[in-house]
């Protein structure tokens, strides 16, 4: 028979085990919190490192421009009258070139087939009107739009053809799209993973369903509205870190990862010049309506897309010059290289706004 002492010891042990289990849970929670904090700190440090490197590169560009300006100033002091008159003519030529730059068409991604691309001057005026109204520097806003177009040129554009899987066809010669044999992918080819068909955490609807609703509300045919293609890459994870490899696309649209053990990663589906995925567009759609005074807004419309981009950048902290780098990085999912490119483009555009001039290097970035 069990004695009272044995029963007492049994329950004492049970209480001890329960206490030990609680302590273990507390330790596990503590370590998980510590791990999350370390990950957040790592992201912050990487962003700070990227911002410093970007700032050094921009300072080098500014120093070069300043040295060129000083050389020009010194040259002007040494001019004779005849040379001075020639200089005036050269100044007129510069002003003429600035006007010509304003008239040049600027490549903007995500326009619908019958939409005319704007001139640089038109896009800049739109950025000024929207940026000043929302509270975002116009040069920064236009740099974001231009950066998105640069990415779109590289990745290409797609049409959705499958309303179940979110797959579709390729309509642009993206430099990254290659077949397993190394040959370039061609227009009309099938591509998977254009828009995510599944519901993500904290989402009520998938991006695919939201996209179909958006185009239906606007009266568009979903098979004729361009969205960004999937960036062809595969990934694997190990101890909380992601590792990436290249991917190629077969003629049937299926994906081949370059490395064994890797799986296709991410989706495309970004809409219009500002390249919003449908779920993000829905989050700020009402604010775009409020800002534009429209009852219906369209992510493929220039005014609406510029306004949406400005509002989102402001929400991300891009309303001040000091917050622009971080806002640009977060706009593209935490990419420091993206933010660095935006910062340089913004400087080029600001130089044009302030001085009416653009170096050949800047022209290469903007056009």
């Amino acid at each position: 028979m069990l004695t009272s002492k044995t029963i007492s010891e049994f329950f004492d042990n049970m209480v001890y085990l329960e206490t030990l289990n609680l302590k273990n849970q507390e330790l596990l929670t503590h370590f998980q919190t510590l791990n999350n904090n370390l990950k957040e700190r790592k992201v912050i440090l990487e962003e700070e490192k990227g911002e410093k490197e970007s700032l050094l590169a921009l300072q080098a560009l500014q120093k070069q421009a300043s040295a060129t300006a000083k050389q020009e100033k010194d040259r002007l002091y040494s001019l004779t009258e005849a040379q001075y008159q020639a200089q005036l003519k050269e100044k007129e030529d510069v002003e003429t070139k600035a006007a010509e730059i304003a008239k040049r068409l600027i490549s903007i991604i995500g326009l619908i087939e019958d939409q005319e691309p704007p001139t640089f001057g038109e896009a800049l005026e739109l950025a000024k009107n929207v940026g000043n109204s929302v509270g975002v520097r116009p040069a920064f806003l236009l740099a974001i739009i231009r950066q998105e177009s640069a990415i779109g040129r590289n990745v290409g554009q797609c049409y959705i053809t499958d309303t179940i899987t979110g797959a579709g066809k390729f309509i642009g010669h993206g430099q990254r799209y290659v077949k397993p044999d190394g040959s370039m992918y061609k227009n009309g080819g099938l591509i998977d993973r254009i828009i995510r068909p599944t519901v993500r955490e904290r989402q009520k609807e998938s991006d695919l369903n939201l996209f179909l609703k958006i185009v239906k509300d606007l009266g568009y045919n979903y098979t004729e509205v361009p969205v960004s293609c999937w960036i062809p890459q595969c990934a694997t994870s190990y101890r909380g870190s992601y590792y990436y490899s290249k991917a190629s696309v077969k003629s049937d649209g299926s994906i081949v990862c370059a490395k064994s053990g890797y799986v296709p990663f991410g989706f495309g589906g970004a809409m219009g010049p500002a390249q919003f995925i449908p779920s993000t567009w829905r989050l700020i759609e009402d604010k775009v309506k409020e800002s534009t005074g429209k009852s219906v807004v369209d992510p493929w419309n220039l005014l609406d897309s510029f306004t949406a981009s400005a509002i989102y950048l402001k929400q991300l902290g891009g309303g001040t010059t000091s917050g622009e780098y971080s806002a640009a990085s977060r706009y593209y999912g935490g990419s420091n290289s993206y933010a660095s490119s935006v910062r340089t483009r913004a400087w080029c555009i600001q130089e044009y706004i302030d001085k009416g001039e653009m170096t050949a290097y800047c022209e290469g970035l903007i056009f």
Side-chain angles (χ1 to χ4, degrees):
M1 293 180 63
L2 290 174
T3 64
S4 58
K5 182 178 180 181
T6 304
I7 295 173
S8 175
E9 287 177 349
F10 172 77
F11 281 107
D12 285 345
N13 288 335
M14 285 290 292
V15 171
Y16 173 75
L17 289 173
E18 287 181 5
T19 303
L20 186 61
N21 185 46
L22 286 173
K23 290 290 184 182
N24 286 336
Q25 289 179 351
E26 288 175 2
L27 281 172
L28 179 61
T29 301
H30 173 72
F31 284 127
Q32 287 175 337
T33 302
L34 183 61
N35 186 46
N36 290 335
N37 289 340
L38 288 172
K39 285 182 178 179
E40 290 175 3
R41 185 59 185 161
K42 180 184 177 184
V43 170
I44 292 171
L45 289 173
E46 286 176 349
E47 185 175 291
E48 289 176 350
K49 179 176 179 286
E51 184 169 7
K52 287 177 182 178
E53 290 174 349
S54 171
L55 185 58
L56 287 173
L58 181 58
Q59 286 173 343
L61 186 61
Q62 290 171 332
K63 185 177 180 181
Q64 182 182 6
S66 178
T68 302
K70 185 179 184 302
Q71 289 173 359
E72 179 65 12
K73 186 176 179 181
D74 292 341
R75 187 180 71 83
L76 288 174
Y77 281 134
S78 64
L79 292 179
T80 64
E81 178 61 26
Q83 290 171 327
Y84 178 70
Q85 292 302 323
Q87 178 63 32
L88 289 179
K89 176 65 171 62
E90 186 178 326
K91 185 172 183 290
E92 290 176 2
D93 292 342
V94 170
E95 291 172 350
T96 300
K97 184 181 179 183
E100 289 174 352
I101 287 174
K103 292 178 182 177
R104 288 175 64 178
L105 295 178
I106 183 172
S107 173
I108 289 187
I109 203 71
L111 298 179
I112 294 175
E113 191 171 334
D114 60 352
Q115 284 180 293
E116 291 292 331
T119 64
F120 175 70
E122 290 169 343
L124 182 56
E125 282 304 308
L126 183 57
K128 286 179 179 178
N129 292 334
V130 171
N132 291 333
S133 173
V134 174
V136 171
R137 188 165 64 104
F140 176 51
L141 172 58
L142 187 53
I144 287 283
I145 298 293
R146 191 62 198 86
Q147 178 71 13
E148 290 296 328
S149 295
I151 292 172
R153 258 204 325 248
N154 193 31
V155 176
Q157 292 281 282
C158 289
Y159 288 148
I160 296 296
T161 58
D162 192 321
T163 59
I164 304 299
T165 67
K169 63 181 181 179
F170 187 51
I171 59 171
H173 292 287
Q175 297 169 14
R176 298 187 187 184
Y177 278 93
V178 295
K179 294 181 180 179
D181 63 4
S183 62
M184 291 298 296
Y185 212 65
K186 295 182 179 179
N187 284 6
L190 298 175
I191 294 231
D192 202 357
R193 303 181 73 85
I194 297 176
I195 293 188
R196 184 188 292 269
T198 56
V199 179
R200 290 182 295 171
E201 186 179 354
R202 291 177 294 196
Q203 268 191 324
K204 293 181 180 179
E205 286 187 87
S206 69
D207 280 310
L208 177 58
N209 284 345
L210 290 172
F211 165 77
L212 294 172
K213 286 184 178 181
I214 289 168
V215 295
K216 183 180 179 181
D217 291 344
L218 293 170
Y220 293 144
N221 182 340
Y222 69 85
T223 63
E224 299 175 354
V225 179
V227 295
S228 67
C229 300
W230 167 69
I231 296 177
Q233 65 179 357
C234 295
T236 189
S237 61
Y238 178 70
R239 292 185 176 180
S241 296
Y242 280 91
Y243 301 89
Y244 302 94
S245 76
K246 294 181 179 179
S248 56
V249 181
K250 291 184 177 180
S251 297
D252 63 359
S254 59
I255 298 159
V256 178
C257 295
K259 294 182 179 181
S260 176
Y262 284 64
V263 295
F265 178 83
F267 290 86
M271 310 178 298
Q275 293 289 275
F276 279 97
I277 61 170
S279 51
T280 307
W281 175 261
R282 281 298 199 211
L283 289 175
I284 62 170
E285 189 175 27
D286 288 340
K287 290 187 179 295
V288 177
K289 291 177 181 178
E290 182 181 340
S291 181
T292 60
K294 296 181 178 181
S295 58
V296 177
V297 288
D298 179 347
W300 291 274
N301 174 273
L302 281 175
L303 172 61
D304 299 344
S305 62
F306 272 57
T307 303
S309 183
I311 290 171
Y312 191 45
L313 288 169
K314 184 75 178 289
Q315 290 178 348
L316 294 176
T320 62
T321 305
S322 61
E324 287 179 355
Y325 184 91
S326 177
S329 175
R330 294 169 66 191
Y331 194 93
Y332 197 66
S335 170
N336 289 326
S337 61
Y338 178 95
S340 296
S341 295
V342 167
R343 171 178 270 173
T344 304
R345 283 185 165 89
W347 180 80
C348 289
I349 295 168
Q350 192 64 55
E351 284 286 288
Y352 178 84
I353 293 172
D354 295 339
K355 302 175 182 177
E357 299 175 356
M358 190 175 290
T359 65
Y361 175 77
C362 284
E363 285 188 44
L365 288 178
I366 303 303
F367 297 102

